[in-house]
Amino acid sequence: MKHLLVIAILVVASTLLVHTGLTAIGLLPEQASAQAVTIDNLLDVHFWLISFLFSLIVVTLLYSLVVFRRKKGETGEGVHIEGNTKLEIFWTMIPLFAVVFLAYIGAQSLGETRRIDPTALEVDVTSGQWYWRFEYPEYGVTTDKLYLPVDRQTLLRMTSMDVIHSFWVPEFRVKQDLVPGQTTELRITPTLAGEYKVLCAELCGASHAYMEAKVYVVTQEEFDAWIIEQQSTVVLDPVQRGRQLANQYCVTCHSVDGSQKIGPSWLGLAGSEVPLEDGTTIPADTEYLRLSIVNPNLHIVEGYNANVMPAFANLLEQTEVEDLVAYIESLK
Amino acid sequence: MKKFFSLGLIRGLWWEILGTAFGIGFVTLVRLLMGLPAWKAEPAVVFGALLGALFFLYGVGSLDGWLKWAAGEETPEHVDDSHLGWRRYFGASLDHKVIGIQYLALSLILMSVGGTFALIFRTELAEVQLQFLTLNQYNTLMSLHGIVMIVSILLGIAAFMNYLVPMLIGARDMAFPRLNSFSFWIAVPAGLILLSSLFLGGFDTGWTGYPPLSARAPLGMQMFFLGVSLAGFSSILGGLNIIVSIVRLRAKGMAPFKMPIFVWAALATSLISLTATQLIGLSFQMVMLQRLFGMGFFDPAKGGNPVLFQHLFWFYSHPAVYVFVLPGLGIISELLPVFVRKPLFGYKWVAMSSIGIALVGFLVWAHHMFTSGMAEYLRVPFMYSTLLVAIPTGVKFFSWVATCSCWPGSSSSCSAASPVRPTPPSRPTCIYTTRITSSAISMTPCMAVISSRSSPPSITGIPR
């Protein structure tokens, strides 16, 4: 009995210690959405359970190894105990109830994070290698930054133009893949104004690590003001519009200063003779630049591979392609 | 020098080069005859690599027995090649202990290669931005590190099972020695093909190879798919061999619940290898065919579904983690009683928990896909089944604790010689396990002990 008592005290002490450690080292980022609260509560239940089970096993093992170790002069075998069926049933049934309980509160929490608010703000999210695009269909606004009003549910309808990507803002906790040919949904209720980042959480090729976009959680008034500003800002210069598009979709792979990236640099490209993979050359005129955007596999530049750049024919409007070409032609 | 070139491994490598060249030439010739442009890298290299692997198996001598039978020649059941000395480790030996060592050597070689990849890309990460790798090289090393480590662990598991299981059950060898040799040797060209992707453009998908990304990755992707598919044969056939050996070749009197506990772990592991590995092979071959022939399995534009791949992939790749862990848990269950000088607590429960983990492990795959876009309600049943794995796992851990501690534990010392506790009737315990520690290399004398003790009471004592 004395051993059991000592072990019990040590297990309790170790559980408290491990749990304190787990919560103190900052495993979780800031809590910035209503969904995050539900998920963190669930995580905390698990942290307690992990701390307890870890302590139970490790403390009992170490205690046994130290206290029951072989004393000087002992040479015999240990006590011959082959097992105890009642005990085995005990530690099968208790965990069974525990995991069913955990699964139950898990399912409850899942339901909680998926709760539908019919007045949610709708945002269409499109992803591709390697950009994020956010469209507010109610307002006719399209941007590369996600603005969200605080304390109001946002419904993200998401799809991908090429490979699988994943929408993940660590502070919001929830995550959802964007699958080509399919629309997936994610509901977020931001609760803390601030600046965050959406990170792609599904390996999506060479520049996956750099596929991120800014997220701003702002008050409803700031949000409305931002929408009006977006709606009223009409850029008249095609080169200027092209630069904005390029910053959104292109500069991850194409530099504008001659430096080496995944694709050829745009500096001095327009008007030059481009050497192709098949040994010929082609003049980089307006038509070549346009074709290279809408159908990148048509002409492969020497030293680069096919199938790296996605086709932008479905993503960009005709006028947007023309803006991009105008921007490229301005880079002498 | 002549001795060197007559080694099975060296002959196999020559034949592999020959086979690869032949395969590439064959595809080019067919394309010429069909009036297509003669050179297209992808089909030529894939077919070359596949043929190279087959030629390797012929060159190394792994197909010799079957070829002789096909020609109507008789072969002895078991060929004793011990006169070859160290050279038999480099050829198609049929001895399970030689094959066990071969598996272990290949596993350690691949593990050091995979580890080196990790060192390279972790060094790159020491500072922000890229210093000496390109983005594609970084992703290739990261992806190859993942899959090479997985293959090497699979081979390491096979090493322990091949070496130990026949001796633990008192068999002279595995049930199918030729299949055993084949299972090992196919892993060699598989490893070579896998590593060749480094020189064929690499691939940037990670070890999971999800399409559509893998459908558009460079040529190295195909070498990854082909290499893993071939290594899969090693797992499937190795698992088959272990199961048949355990079922059919146990020493007289060794009932299932008298088998050493590691054998139960090996059985559970092999059940998974035999029945789940096909699914990863299938999913990878479907992407290979999609790339080679334009089939639209996972291409949404052709009515395919990328999420289907993930279901097929994880149906193996989740149980695979139990392939990795069950033998390890089995080794702990085997060694722990030796060092605490007591029998394993709840032997039957521990044995059944291995089988339980293996079976429940088949029902949990979609927990890797909670965010994948599959039907949302599926998250709930897969959460329940996933949590259920905790129960047999808990049985193991609690039983170890009970093995170590002095339950019911009122005495101050656990020794049987303690004055509080009278000496229990002496029964031989841990006979074979103590032999393992005293002579880890040669287990044969130990088996002699088991097989010579044919009277029922001592048999019960051996595996508890």
Side-chain angles (χ1 to χ4, degrees), chain B residues 157-236:
Chain B
I157 298 295
F160 277 91
M161 296 201 301
N162 251 286
Y163 198 96
L164 294 176
V165 166
M167 293 193 294
L168 291 177
I169 61 174
R172 291 174 61 88
D173 206 311
M174 299 278 269
F176 308 115
R178 281 173 184 80
L179 203 59
N180 202 17
S181 153
F182 179 89
S183 310
F184 166 72
W185 282 107
I186 196 163
V188 177
L192 288 174
I193 290 172
L194 207 53
L195 293 177
S196 74
S197 75
L198 260 185
F199 309 101
L200 292 169
F203 60 103
D204 56 2
T205 64
W207 76 275
T208 51
Y210 279 7
L213 184 60
S214 59
R216 29 192 298 159
L219 176 56
M221 195 77 233
Q222 293 283 39
M223 297 298 104
F224 162 80
F225 286 143
L226 189 63
V228 176
S229 300
L230 290 174
F233 277 97
S234 177
S235 278
I236 296 171

Side-chain angles (χ1 to χ4, degrees), chain A residues 257-300:
Chain A
D257 58 1
S259 62
Q260 268 304 311
K261 283 190 176 176
I262 294 163
S265 175
W266 287 350
L267 186 70
L269 170 62
S272 67
E273 282 287 318
V274 180
L276 296 184
E277 194 65 21
D278 59 13
T280 59
T281 61
I282 190 165
D285 53 13
T286 305
E287 181 60 8
Y288 166 80
L289 294 176
R290 192 187 70 78
L291 278 176
S292 300
I293 294 169
V294 297
N295 186 2
N297 286 339
L298 200 60
H299 303 294
I300 302 301

Side-chain angles (χ1 to χ4, degrees), chain A residues 80-153:
Chain A
H80 191 92
I81 303 167
E82 295 201 350
N84 182 314
T85 307
K86 274 184 203 152
L87 206 54
E88 297 278 0
I89 291 173
F90 172 74
W91 62 49
T92 306
M93 295 315 288
I94 298 291
L96 183 64
F97 291 128
V99 299
V100 170
F101 172 69
L102 281 178
Y104 174 74
I105 59 171
Q108 289 283 319
S109 307
L110 179 66
E112 193 60 41
T113 62
R114 321 294 289 178
R115 190 179 291 274
I116 293 171
D117 178 355
T119 63
L121 168 74
E122 287 186 26
V123 182
D124 292 337
V125 182
T126 309
S127 64
Q129 283 173 327
W130 289 276
Y131 59 83
W132 294 98
R133 192 180 67 169
F134 307 103
E135 204 179 330
Y136 296 77
E138 283 172 60
Y139 307 106
V141 168
T142 304
T143 70
D144 59 347
K145 300 175 194 70
L146 184 59
Y147 271 76
L148 299 175
V150 73
D151 292 326
R152 178 180 169 194
Q153 191 177 76

